[in-house]
Amino acid sequence: MGKWQTIKQLRALLCELVKIPSVSGSEAENYFPEVLLHKLAELKYFQEHPDLLNQVPTGDGRFLISAFVRAQRPTSRTVILFSHFDVVDVHDYGKWKDIAFDPELLTQRFNEQKKKLPQAVQKDLDTGNWIFGRGTMDMKSGLTLHMSLIEAASEGRFEGNVLLVSVPDEEVNSVGMRAAIPHLLQLKERNQLEFVAAVNSEPMFSLYPGDQTNYLYTGSVGKVMPGFLCYGKETHVGEPYSGLNGNLMASFVTEAIELNTDLCDQDEGRLAPPPTNLIQKGLKDTYSVQIPHRAVTLFNLFMLERSIEEVTTILRKQAEQAAAKIESFYHKEAERYSEAIGSTIVDPKVRVLSYEELLKEACKSYGGEKVDKLIESLIAQRGDKDDRGLSIEIVDQLAILCKALAPMIILFYTPPFYPAVHSHHQPMIRQVVDKIQSLASKAYHTELIEQHYFSGISDLSYIGMPAKHGSMNEWTANMPIWDRGYSIPFAEMEQLAMPVLNLGPIGRDPHQWTERLDVDFSFVSLKELLSYCISEILAGDNHK
């Protein structure tokens, strides 16, 4: 019967994995790979082939897990199963925070207090098919299924090789996946493998509130994080028209970009989700009656078909429009105030610069060596600043050096970056998708609608075929910490590029306290669909 093949076994395994609170950056995230390693080592195959089960360092104290199963009949054809084992934190669970990692207990408590929960949650509870808890949906259910598949592979289920790769840090900077790239190249070269496709099992994401459609994905959305540092002019609060408030400037930039459908990338007429703000704050360290003349605002921006050059051009235009609105607003209010006091106020002119342009100005004024030393000292003294905080600090300090250029808005990029990838035009993937959709409909009465891009962001971005080839110079030149603590192995990614497919569980409310998983679909229907998917990908006639 096996260890992880029945719905009961899979549910128990899922609960065991969820109980390890592997929040990104936590000690439990560091501990999780050891648990996963020991569980996989219980399989007879890895007892006989321990060299094919590896705990691979990511370079920052964390580890990823790689488990390779050779087919009984020698072949180079290999499918890779990708998952991540980190999760987001549980602060949003409120009074249920202490049991957020105990799916059975949390589900029981929700049943006991069902009438206090949202209607959609009550409806799912009534079916008896859903289990709740952080990581049940995103994405330890996917990892659970992959462990089931690797066990099946170890018993000769597939006519080809299967490689399981599970990584940390997907929810933050994808350190795990970026570290997996050289490991995969080594495996490929050492074993003379042909990586036929990468299969991920991230859960289905709703396209809009209340969306009940079930999806499979033939690609993964791209993402950039543009930032705008707004540098105004300092002044006392008693003389506000002698300066320009950075917070005011940032608010105009945010108004220009937040949920702006005109900025949505498109794929054959289908829109990516709109941009939304992730960080906005003034950069004053302490309270005083000096206005906050420096502020920053950062956004999540999805990419499908656009190049980074196109994205930069669009963002710069938005910043220029925001600058014009700042000037117009200032002029309007200054004119009214001037009439009241009987004096003339000089209007500011706000310029827009890229980080690359700011850096050149700083080097021109102070010399490249001094600027490099400043940046290196900021990196050395970063303390507990994350990559976004460090990027902001570098831009801010260079802006202070170049304050004669103010007022100004500086466009820059921060980590992470995810390339958009797709496989919907790839013949083998087209055939496999058609067959999966047919089987799901006939055998499980489930309609799976294809989406070209998984909208939840995934590590497939680092392994798939780029949606649009192009130079990354525009991005790296405007990324303050590029090759200074953050990098992406673009050359190695090109060597590994392969078709991708995301076939995952039905769940609801990722990253919310009502995160939940449809157990029956995930551990019965989806388990068989994934098994069928791997068999079809490995079948040689798909390449004819």
Side-chain angles (χ1 to χ4, degrees), residues 34-290:
E34 294 183 25
V35 175
L36 187 55
L37 190 76
H38 288 310
K39 294 201 76 65
L40 290 168
E42 294 172 5
L43 297 177
K44 182 180 177 182
Y45 183 86
F46 292 118
Q47 291 172 5
E48 296 173 351
H49 304 281
D51 57 312
L52 300 182
L53 178 60
N54 292 284
Q55 187 168 319
V56 182
T58 61
D60 65 349
R62 289 180 281 194
F63 295 87
L64 63 94
I65 293 296
S66 165
F68 179 53
V69 174
R70 299 181 191 275
Q72 292 182 347
R73 185 170 62 183
T75 177
S76 63
R77 296 174 64 76
T78 305
V79 166
I80 311 178
L81 305 177
F82 283 107
S83 65
H84 67 86
F85 52 76
D86 64 315
V87 298
V88 296
D89 64 43
V90 295
H91 299 309
D92 53 329
Y93 277 81
K95 66 179 181 179
W96 293 295
K97 179 181 176 181
D98 291 341
I99 58 172
F101 293 109
D102 190 333
E104 299 290 8
L105 181 57
L106 182 64
T107 304
Q108 178 185 329
R109 291 285 186 269
F110 280 178
N111 268 301
E112 292 168 354
Q113 303 180 49
K114 184 165 54 179
K115 291 184 179 180
K116 297 180 180 179
L117 303 177
Q119 285 293 324
V121 176
Q122 292 185 40
K123 184 178 178 181
D124 287 341
L125 278 168
D126 287 339
T127 68
N129 294 337
W130 294 76
I131 193 167
F132 292 72
R134 177 62 80 232
T136 53
M137 172 191 180
D138 184 15
M139 71 162 291
K140 289 179 179 175
S141 51
L143 172 56
T144 297
L145 286 162
H146 290 183
M147 292 172 70
S148 173
L149 292 166
I150 209 74
E151 180 186 27
S154 74
E155 295 172 351
R157 169 68 175 80
F158 303 111
E159 296 296 322
N161 310 314
V162 180
L163 171 62
L164 178 151
V165 176
S166 194
V167 301
D169 194 51
E170 189 270 353
E171 300 289 3
V172 183
N173 282 330
S174 286
V175 166
M177 188 61 188
R178 288 185 285 129
I181 302 300
H183 172 68
L184 291 171
L185 276 175
Q186 292 171 8
L187 278 177
K188 182 180 181 182
E189 294 167 7
R190 185 188 312 139
N191 298 284
Q192 297 297 297
L193 302 177
E194 175 193 1
F195 290 148
V196 183
V199 177
N200 203 352
S201 291
E202 290 275 11
M204 302 174 193
F205 270 57
S206 302
L207 290 181
Y208 51 86
D211 182 15
Q212 299 291 308
T213 308
N214 298 320
Y215 301 103
L216 56 72
Y217 307 87
T218 50
S220 194
V221 71
K223 164 184 170 162
V224 287
M225 275 195 69
F228 299 85
L229 190 131
C230 300
Y231 198 114
K233 186 177 185 304
E234 69 275 17
T235 187
H236 191 283
V237 293
E239 299 179 343
Y241 283 108
S242 295
L244 181 60
N245 196 306
N247 287 344
L248 172 71
M249 297 171 70
S251 70
F252 273 93
V253 175
T254 298
E255 188 272 337
I257 294 176
E258 178 71 17
L259 300 179
N260 187 342
T261 301
D262 291 339
L263 303 187
C264 294
D265 203 349
Q266 296 188 39
D267 161 51
E268 298 181 4
R270 286 173 283 195
L271 295 183
T276 190
N277 183 270
L278 292 178
I279 295 174
Q280 181 170 325
K281 61 181 180 178
L283 298 178
K284 275 181 66 175
D285 293 329
T286 58
Y287 169 80
S288 74
V289 290
Q290 181 189 66

Side-chain angles (χ1 to χ4, degrees), residues 15 25 39 54 78 82 140 180 188 260 272 314 329 331 340 347 379 395 399 444:
C15 291
K39 294 201 76 65
N54 292 284
T78 305
F82 283 107
K140 289 179 179 175
K188 182 180 181 182
N260 187 342
I314 290 168
F329 174 83
H331 175 78
D347 294 343
I379 293 170
V395 181
Y444 305 110

Side-chain angles (χ1 to χ4, degrees), residues 456-527:
I457 309 171
S458 81
D459 282 335
L460 288 179
S461 284
Y462 300 106
I463 202 76
M465 298 174 172
K468 188 165 188 175
H469 288 277
S471 170
M472 292 307 302
N473 292 341
E474 186 79 24
W475 180 74
T476 57
N478 289 295
M479 232 281 281
I481 62 171
W482 175 252
D483 265 351
R484 284 181 155 122
Y486 183 85
S487 61
I488 296 174
F490 289 118
E492 290 86 349
M493 285 162 55
E494 285 189 16
Q495 296 178 53
L496 279 174
M498 66 189 80
V500 298
L501 182 65
N502 193 101
L503 180 59
I506 295 174
R508 299 280 182 263
D509 300 345
H511 295 196
Q512 299 180 46
W513 63 272
T514 48
E515 176 182 352
R516 57 198 184 276
L517 177 77
D518 182 336
V519 175
D520 285 358
F521 174 82
S522 302
F523 295 154
V524 179
S525 307
L526 179 59
K527 177 178 176 292

